[in-house]
Amino acid sequence: MTKRRYYTYIFILGLLTALGPFSIDMYLPGFDEIARSLNTSVASVALSLSSFFIGVSLGQLLYGPLLDRYGRKKPLYIGLAVYLLSSALCMRAGTINMLIGLRFMQALGSCAATVAAMAMVRDLFEVKESAKVFSLLLLVVGASPMIAPTAGGYIASTFGWRTIFLALLILGVLISLAAIFFLPESRPANRDFSLKPRPIILNFLSVLKNPQFLTYTLVNSLAFAGLLIYVSGSPLIFMDLFHVDKRTYGWIFAFLSVAFIGLGQFNSLLLKKYNSEQIIWVALSGQVLVLIVFLVGNMAGWFGLGHTIFFIFLFLACLGFTNPNSAALALAPFSENAGSASAILGTLQIGIGAVASACLSAFTTISATPMIAIMTITSTLALITLIIGKRSGKSVPAHPITQQHLHP
């Protein structure tokens, strides 16, 4: 592989990986305008985000077997076509229920891009090189929360919220053309691969029976749910409660993303001295403590905009350690079934977060308390799960886990 082709593949695979995060983050600054346009509440608009999370969660289980059976590009093209069609229809959505349904379809389409990109990395690059490529893709995913809300804020304030979906449609078209003309078919179709439900389900069940996987997957998913709750609740908190404009919201969101991205990278330095299990105990305990103080102070009326940004920053900083280490420990027992394990981890991670963020929409009051309370509950449940797993012998021996950047 030539150097030019090498970087071309990485660039296109990075774009495919970023399509989902861009679709999540870019329309967040338009929540209040969408609510006014569709005669509904911001809480109801947040359900369109929850439906997207659910679509991503289910899509990961759907595309894995299809990519193994029909090769990489055909399922990718189908997913991208679904994404383009649903993005175009989102521009024309006349009711909030229509937007919620279309966002679910958009998620199913974008999910094909993410899963196919991860599979193609394994196909196109050698084992040692693929680790480097995966880290580059994760940086692209991490950068999207800094770029997408800021861009969405400027687009929404200048041209209106429907134009955000036009921008996503154009982005999808460009990525589709790049995939068609510059990405090779990295794996031929395998007609022997069974798509019957029984063997697929049995394979998934064998993964779930592993105690270490189950413990750390639940820890990861419950802790990570706080991030999705924050993403769902942040437009209401910052724009409705604290009355910041769309552009300022985009910059606040970008700033807070630095905590999650930066600390996630710093995690690799800590692993030279400590193991993943030790880091999780400290990080998750800190995450719960930060949220408890945040909740009590908010209920007492002590905190304003600056305090809110500060405590969310601390929460995301802790999550930057909790998330990669719990994912690494969950996947550590697997070699042959690593793909199935990653799919289940991703499904539970997004699925539990989607349910938790949907619970947030039940509260119609303009207050930060419901968001903080649900974040506190999910993080506390994660810590309880970790304690139970440790006492029942479901944790692993304390040794460094080098796959800390593995992520579904």
Side-chain angles (χ1 to χ4, degrees), residues 212 216 271 273-281 329 390 393-402:
Q212 178 179 323
Y216 285 107
L271 282 165
K273 187 174 182 180
Y274 304 100
N275 61 60
S276 290
E277 192 174 14
Q278 291 171 320
I279 296 174
I280 285 178
W281 278 105
L329 288 168
K390 178 71 173 180
K394 294 180 180 180
S395 59
V396 296
H399 61 84
I401 298 294
T402 57

Side-chain angles (χ1 to χ4, degrees), residues 22 24 31 39 75 89 104 162 178 189 307-309 314 327 347 354 406:
F22 258 86
I24 292 172
F31 266 32
N39 297 315
L89 292 175
F104 176 81
R162 296 182 188 274
H307 301 93
T308 299
I309 294 174
L314 291 180
T347 297
L406 286 175

Side-chain angles (χ1 to χ4, degrees), residues 30 32 86 88 97 108 159 177 208 242 244 249 288 296 331 342 345 351:
D32 57 344
S86 56
N97 289 333
L108 289 179
F159 303 106
L177 292 175
L208 286 170
F242 293 115
V244 303
Y249 166 77
V288 173
V296 172
L331 296 175
S342 296
L345 174 59

Side-chain angles (χ1 to χ4, degrees), residues 278-292:
Q278 291 171 320
I279 296 174
I280 285 178
W281 278 105
V282 175
L284 187 54
S285 299
Q287 184 173 322
V288 173
L289 179 61
V290 165
L291 288 172
I292 290 174

Side-chain angles (χ1 to χ4, degrees), residues 77-129:
Y77 293 160
I78 293 173
L80 289 172
V82 171
Y83 179 85
L84 296 177
L85 177 61
S86 56
S87 297
L89 292 175
C90 281
M91 295 171 53
R92 307 295 299 173
T95 65
I96 186 58
N97 289 333
M98 183 182 297
L99 182 63
I100 291 171
L102 289 171
R103 286 285 288 172
F104 176 81
M105 296 302 299
Q106 191 183 39
L108 289 179
S110 71
C111 196
T114 303
V115 178
M118 294 298 179
M120 294 181 85
V121 169
R122 295 194 296 270
D123 298 336
L124 295 171
F125 301 96
E126 296 179 359
V127 175
K128 291 184 178 180
E129 191 63 30

